[in-house]
Amino acid sequence: MNESSTVVFERPTPKIATITFSNPPANVVLAETAVRLYEIVRELETEPEIQVVVFRSDVPDFFVNHFDLAAIDDLPAPDGENALPIWTDLVLRLPKAPYITIASIR
């Protein structure tokens, strides 16, 4: 993704990925944040080498804040009869991920 994003994805090594939240001043979750995070998690499901994903923030005093409800209409609609909303799908995928997840809060 070449444009500015509230989520920065990096692979410092083949086995480790970092996902950094960056939406100053309070790291409010936008629709773009949820969509980009969902894309990354789906991509990592296909990466057999990945063993650890570290979530972190580059906004002092805030890891991740609440979802901006004004942006709710910007989320994509579920695609298909049995499809889940993107945030629900994301929350259900993370605990089943084949890698360890770490929240680097401080």
Side-chain angles (χ1 to χ4, degrees), residues 20-28 56-65 104-106:
T20 305
F21 300 106
S22 180
N23 189 21
N27 255 3
V28 173
R56 62 186 182 189
S57 169
D58 75 348
V59 177
D61 300 322
F62 291 95
F63 181 69
V64 177
N65 213 328
S104 177
I105 297 177
R106 298 194 200 283

Side-chain angles (χ1 to χ4, degrees), residues 6-22 37 40-41 44 50-58 63-64 94 97-106:
T6 57
V7 179
V8 178
F9 174 63
E10 298 172 303
R11 289 282 296 264
T13 76
K15 295 181 180 185
I16 299 173
T18 60
I19 297 172
T20 305
F21 300 106
S22 180
L37 186 56
I40 293 167
V41 167
L44 289 173
I50 198 76
Q51 293 180 356
V52 177
V53 176
V54 179
F55 294 90
R56 62 186 182 189
S57 169
D58 75 348
F63 181 69
V64 177
L94 273 175
Y99 45 80
I100 296 168
T101 56
I102 299 171
S104 177
I105 297 177
R106 298 194 200 283

